[in-house]
Amino acid sequence: MGAVVSCIESIFRTIGSVIMAIVTGIGSILTAIINGIVSFFGIIVSFLTCGYCSRRHGTTGGTTTGSRRGFGRRRHGATTTSRI
């Protein structure tokens, strides 16, 4: 009789483990989807606030210096040509 109870306990434990694995898998999938959506919106917001534009403009030889070193974009109010 004890063997039958042990077998039934083992079956329920296995079913519980399978259900928990399914729930964990669904949670991981949802987490990946949500992280992807958040990253996508982050890219859109960065583009709309000219985060992409200012980085792109700095590579054309404009007046930006040190954008990769953390100084950001430097804007000069006057022209920087020589006055001869």
Side-chain angles (χ1 to χ4, degrees), residues 12-32:
F12 284 135
R13 189 175 300 124
T14 303
I15 291 172
S17 296
V18 168
I19 291 173
M20 285 305 297
I22 291 171
V23 169
T24 302
I26 291 172
S28 297
I29 290 170
L30 289 176
T31 301

Side-chain angles (χ1 to χ4, degrees), residues 37-64:
I37 291 171
V38 169
S39 295
F40 180 72
F41 281 125
I43 291 168
I44 289 176
V45 168
S46 174
F47 182 76
L48 292 177
T49 57
C50 280
Y52 174 78
C53 301
S54 65
R55 282 194 307 264
R56 185 96 169 139
H57 182 64
T59 60
T60 60
T63 59
T64 59

